[in-house]
Amino acid sequence: MTVLVDKNTRVIVQGITGHQGSFHAGEMLKFGTNIVAGTSPGKGGSKFQEKVPVVDSVAEAMAYEPDATMISVAAPFVKDAAFEAIDSGIKLVYILTEKVPFHDSMEIVHEAKLRGITVMGPNGPGITVPGECKIGIMPNQIFRQGDVAVASRSGTLTYEIVDHITRSGLGESAVIGLGGDPVVGLTYIDVLKLFEADERTKRIVLVGEIGGNNEELAAKYIKEHVKKPVVAYITGRSAPPGKRMGHAGAIIEKGVGTAESKIKAFEEAGVKVAEFPDDVPGLLK
Amino acid sequence: MQDGESLNLYEYMGKEIFRKHGIPVPEGYVVEKPADLKEYKKPVVVKSQILLGGRGKSGGIKFAKSQAELKSAAEELLGAKIRGLTVTKVLVEEMVNVKKEYYVSIALNRSERSPMLIASASGGVEIEAVPHSEIFTRKIDPLLGYSDYIGREAAKFMNLDKNLSAQFRDILAKLYKVFSEEDCELVEINPLMETAEGKIIAADAKVVMDSDSFFRHKDINVTDPEKTPLELEAQSKGYAFVELDGNIGVIANGAGLTMATLDALTLHKGKPRNFLDLGGTDNVEIVAQAFDLVLKANPKVILVNIFGGVTKGDTVANGIVEAKKRFNITKPIVVRLSGVHEEEGRKILSDAGIEAFPTMMEAIKTVVKEAGEAQ
């Protein structure tokens, strides 16, 4: 195992016949992900792209011994789908869907924690380990195998930074999107532990944004526990206080969680902070 | 509504929700015009319904001890501007005989991913002004929910006697139900009032709901008073859009990349006119409509910054070409296209005479220069 997933990871897609689910399942197959089954209540018995069996429930999908699931169903049905996966004992649950009520996410995340299950998202781009496995929606062509691990709260900004890393001649060992919602399954600290333990990973990039205090907590953890070099990029420096910029995570609350406070915390922890996304590769070298 | 946005309710709406869940609130009613005032019976408080802290200090709360005072208070407040906000509704409430003021709230703690109970015997002022040693905080496990042992801990910390503790814990249990059943990010009572008669009552109500939950709260129908008309129009069309005060219109995809675009513009001395996140789309019309919104903000130049994934380069390019034709755009448009279908997208744009840069920084530098030159 590399970071959370590898070539042998057996993946199911909940909602594989939906608009999003079918597109991304197709892209994941192209990447080389081992999708063993998909679910779509009422459509069991058919095949996705003439090869992946479609079943009616996760209980039926368990016959294909999945290690991970990607949930791509509409927001009102996410809690049900996640509970279905958790109750079946799937160890890695990735939720692609955006606009999930955070009260539902709280229940999902806490129930999963009790059972030792990892939740990624909601509202994040998933995980990519180049050369091994992709679960999620990151564009296939931006990656190259390498030793840089990336953790981020956003989607497209992650692609932007990964693209710069790849174009600079470096490559990635793992890229994880935590998700942009107020309540998500993974924290930076969870991911830093995985990166620190991963043999392929030699350097780490954290992409943060204003709002909350997760970056500050990550900085403290890095100072005390992380030996591999870390580079950070923080977005939202120019955001006027109190203005919402799309992510719930990106709200400046009375000076807490400002870009300045996060940059200061990282610099004090010995983390180099990039001013622009394209500065990241230079700081890694 | 956009992902993860929250909606602040007016005090009177919060109190309606409290009443529904059995939390004691003062008797009262809301009016929009003085003619609707009820006959005066006992002393009342007339409270402007605006979403601002410190309404009292800003003159937004008046007391009335006669029919004449009630009428003049309502006349004075309705239509008045308080710190830039126009008062359209007032809440008329029975006056309460105050003995002591407390504070209580339940809020989402993001890093713990759990509700947090916050309580203090020092209420009636902003909680930030209360010393930490006087504030009780406790994480609530969302799977276990609220239970009376949590209330007992809080009541002991606050030195409540037996009578007050029982009432306080009853309110806490109901407040937690409001928080969870109404999908709230924050429920706050400040002040929570102890009356001269020994009763505890919610004298104010701050309720912030999670907009993502509105599919199961169809009765909630309020527009966010903090949004501009253009922001409300964008919201109704499904765009994450924020007006800023610069002159460079911005269209990008993904909240993180859009914010990074604004940051980079600002660091290069450019001034963004707006934040517009296209989100993930493969629909040409959604791209074209985004231009309509940005044009209404009347920027000097427009920057499009796309990293294709779900949103494909050719879709965006077709949307730009369509918008340029439909809205007769003569202002400079600077485009950056990367990611999925970038080659196809750049070809479509170059055929239409629009140059597309492969990197964000080239596009940023170009648009800042053009904004400086454009008339």
Side-chain angles (χ1 to χ4, degrees), chain A residues 99 101-104 110 141 156 160 184-185 213 235-238 243-249 254 276 278, chain B residues 1 3-4 6 110 113-114 128 142 179 184 210 216 224 231 242 253-255 257 259-260 263 266 275 336 361:
Chain A
K99 300 181 198 239
F102 79 80
H103 280 266
D104 292 0
H110 283 265
Q141 71 274 28
T156 45
E160 174 82 34
V184 291
N213 66 343
T235 181
R237 292 177 186 227
S238 65
K243 279 280 186 185
R244 298 189 197 117
M245 296 291 189
H247 277 186
K254 297 177 183 117
F276 298 104
D278 56 354
Chain B
M1 289 293 165
D3 24 322
S6 44
R110 291 178 184 207
R113 292 156 303 176
S114 298
E128 292 87 339
F179 180 79
C184 295
D210 172 11
R216 57 191 176 206
D224 190 335
E231 287 172 350
V242 179
N253 67 324
L257 184 62
M259 270 196 289
D263 289 351
T266 307
F275 168 104
R336 176 284 176 108
M361 283 309 146

Side-chain angles (χ1 to χ4, degrees), chain A residues 87-165:
Chain A
D87 195 21
S88 299
I90 299 178
K91 288 296 172 197
L92 177 62
V93 176
Y94 159 59
I95 303 166
L96 153 62
T97 313
E98 54 179 13
K99 300 181 198 239
V100 178
F102 79 80
H103 280 266
D104 292 0
S105 307
M106 276 199 302
E107 287 186 52
I108 294 167
V109 166
H110 283 265
E111 188 60 42
K113 204 171 180 186
L114 286 182
R115 302 184 190 216
I117 290 168
T118 302
V119 174
M120 278 192 302
N123 190 21
I127 180 166
T128 306
V129 176
E132 302 278 343
C133 178
K134 177 184 99 166
I135 304 175
I137 63 171
M138 300 184 206
N140 290 348
Q141 71 274 28
I142 58 177
F143 298 95
R144 175 195 294 139
Q145 266 179 281
D147 62 13
V148 183
V150 182
S152 169
R153 274 159 78 179
S154 55
T156 45
L157 180 58
T158 315
Y159 317 157
E160 174 82 34
I161 287 172
V162 168
D163 194 50
H164 285 299
I165 293 170

Side-chain angles (χ1 to χ4, degrees), chain B residues 42-95:
Chain B
K42 50 188 172 183
V44 289
V45 192
V46 184
K47 302 171 91 175
S48 314
Q49 296 302 289
I50 45 170
L51 296 170
L52 278 181
R55 275 173 306 176
K57 279 183 217 150
S58 311
I61 296 177
K62 297 197 176 294
F63 300 91
K65 289 185 173 158
S66 67
Q67 182 72 39
E69 281 181 24
L70 170 59
K71 188 162 173 284
S72 73
E75 279 171 352
E76 236 177 278
L77 291 177
L78 284 163
K81 277 210 169 205
I82 297 177
R83 306 213 314 258
L85 295 176
T86 305
V87 180
T88 60
K89 290 185 179 77
V90 293
L91 174 62
V92 182
E93 269 186 350
E94 60 169 330
M95 196 121 61

Side-chain angles (χ1 to χ4, degrees), chain A residues 254-270:
Chain A
K254 297 177 183 117
V256 178
T258 59
E260 291 72 29
S261 116
K262 290 172 194 302
I263 291 167
K264 189 164 164 266
F266 277 127
E267 285 176 346
E268 282 172 6

